[in-house]
Amino acid sequence: MKQLILITTIMVTQLSLAQAEPATVNEVMNQFITQGASRGNAEKGKSLWNTSYAGQAPFTERSCQSCHGKDLTQPGKHVRTGKLIKPLAPSANKNSLNDAKKINKWFKRNCKWTLGRECNTQDKADILSYISQQ
Amino acid sequence: MKQTILIIGLIITAIATLPVVFSDDDWREYKQLSLGVSAISDPLYKEECGSCHMAYPPGLLPAASWQKMMLGLEDHFGDNAEIAAEDHQLITQFLTKNSADDSSYRRSRRIVNSLKQTDVPLRISATPYFLHEHDEIPDRLVSKNDKVKSFSNCNACHQQAEQGMFDEHSIRIPGHGRWDD
């Protein structure tokens, strides 16, 4: 009986640990849904990720890949400064997507630079969904 | 002979009065003066300003420059670098407090002294002191060097830049090696 309790405890602990990471993603996703978006679609997010947008010289063609690369499990490189950027994929970087404030900050800044406008909540929900599955 | 005694006497007197001339504070100041710029950092500053580029030691620019820069983060040298209002305030305070203006560190003093009072440079690499220190470095070692790319990447060559040290001994130019003036 004692063993059973122990095993159950371990299993429950592991389950809650496994859920610890996407908790932030869920929290932010729910914010987007509250603001009118439907639940993120990873396929649409992927397509946004790979789309190029026109920008001012010297970076006349801009996409998320400009700095983060195509494979999110690999480190990126800041297109202007050359500084290494840690992988965005949670599977490769446990610190990725674990801070709601950071997620919102980078969406704001990077959408403005890359797309030339702020992303709408649906764009953000889709991109978040795509990144979180990498 | 009398002259020799006089000289020895003078030397002894000079040595004996040294501790009086250099009080503890003076020594501390001397030590600081011999260093580059203050190595002070701050976790928030490092996080918010060190993600895309090196977190430049605040002692590399005067307060007016930092304040002007913080008011233009929407177009930060061509990038968007907006941050949350509360972080903005804390970082501006940190940069102002630790700017080159009131610093006793040698290179901070030289940067400030190289500026006219009306100068508010946004680029460290545009200060007269910086330009003077780098005027002999050919393009092939910096802008045409893929591992350096720009004078903005201090730590590409100055191995201890983030610790505020910019002396010649700690310079290693990628693809070139040491730099001797």
Side-chain angles (χ1 to χ4, degrees):
Chain A
M1 181 61 191
K2 261 190 188 167
Q3 230 176 0
L4 191 68
I5 292 172
L6 186 70
I7 290 169
T8 315
T9 314
I10 290 171
M11 281 172 72
V12 169
T13 314
Q14 280 183 337
L15 198 68
S16 60
L17 276 178
Q19 281 177 341
E21 269 180 20
T24 310
V25 174
N26 286 337
E27 177 198 332
V28 177
M29 185 64 80
N30 287 333
Q31 276 172 15
F32 293 152
I33 291 168
T34 314
Q35 290 162 21
S38 48
R39 187 160 292 280
N41 177 323
E43 274 307 307
K44 284 186 188 165
K46 184 180 180 180
S47 148
L48 278 170
W49 188 268
N50 294 322
T51 306
S52 285
Y53 303 87
Q56 278 181 1
F59 307 105
T60 48
E61 243 185 75
R62 303 173 175 192
S63 78
C64 306
Q65 291 182 24
S66 304
C67 296
H68 294 288
K70 195 165 187 171
D71 181 357
L72 299 197
T73 63
Q74 297 300 313
K77 197 175 168 194
H78 194 283
V79 68
R80 195 185 300 267
T81 66
K83 180 153 180 157
L84 218 64
I85 301 170
K86 287 174 192 157
L88 269 189
S91 66
N93 174 9
K94 62 179 172 46
N95 291 324
S96 181
L97 303 185
N98 69 356
D99 182 333
K101 188 179 162 187
K102 263 196 205 174
I103 294 174
N104 284 311
K105 176 183 84 173
W106 288 111
F107 263 135
K108 187 177 178 187
R109 274 159 70 152
N110 292 352
C111 284
K112 279 189 175 180
W113 185 84
T114 313
L115 285 71
R117 61 167 171 87
E118 279 203 53
C119 288
N120 61 45
T121 43
Q122 191 60 56
D123 295 336
K124 291 192 270 192
D126 293 340
I127 295 170
L128 179 62
S129 172
Y130 170 61
I131 300 173
S132 68
Q133 290 175 22
Q134 301 305 301
Chain B
M1 182 64 190
K2 262 190 188 167
Q3 232 178 354
T4 317
I5 291 171
L6 186 68
I7 289 166
I8 291 171
L10 278 172
I11 290 170
I12 290 169
T13 316
I15 292 170
T17 51
L18 255 182
V20 182
V21 177
F22 284 98
S23 68
D24 276 357
D25 280 351
D26 289 330
W27 278 115
R28 205 169 299 132
E29 195 172 329
Y30 173 77
K31 216 174 139 196
Q32 288 194 348
L33 284 168
S34 65
L35 289 170
V37 299
S38 168
I40 186 150
S41 193
D42 168 86
L44 180 69
Y45 175 66
K46 216 169 171 185
E47 170 68 37
E48 295 298 326
C49 304
S51 303
C52 303
H53 55 68
M54 174 189 144
Y56 300 103
L60 289 171
L61 281 177
S65 292
W66 290 124
Q67 285 158 5
K68 189 175 172 187
M69 195 182 301
M70 291 301 287
L71 291 173
L73 290 184
E74 217 166 300
D75 182 5
H76 185 61
F77 306 104
D79 278 359
N80 185 298
E82 287 172 85
I83 54 173
E86 68 269 24
D87 296 339
H88 188 277
Q89 196 188 351
L90 290 169
I91 289 172
T92 306
Q93 279 168 7
F94 166 75
L95 291 169
T96 304
K97 191 176 162 215
N98 297 291
S99 75
D101 285 329
D102 300 320
S103 174
S104 58
Y105 284 78
R106 185 176 61 155
R107 290 193 202 273
S108 293
R109 295 265 40 86
R110 291 197 175 162
I111 288 166
V112 171
N113 291 339
S114 79
L115 294 168
K116 288 189 218 112
Q117 255 192 332
T118 49
D119 284 348
V120 187
L122 288 182
R123 287 181 186 275
I124 298 158
S125 55
T127 60
Y129 175 67
F130 182 99
L131 290 168
H132 171 74
E133 287 293 310
H134 296 86
D135 63 354
E136 287 174 11
I137 321 267
D139 286 349
R140 68 182 165 82
L141 296 183
V142 182
S143 59
K144 290 180 182 145
N145 183 342
D146 268 352
K147 291 194 172 128
V148 182
K149 282 176 82 172
S150 158
F151 276 120
S152 315
N153 287 325
C154 308
N155 49 355
C157 304
H158 293 276
Q159 312 275 298
Q160 292 176 292
E162 279 179 281
Q163 288 81 50
M165 301 293 285
F166 295 89
D167 59 290
E168 270 177 27
H169 307 292
S170 59
I171 297 173
R172 299 286 183 280
I173 303 175
H176 175 82
R178 291 169 188 273
W179 178 263
D180 293 311
D181 237 349

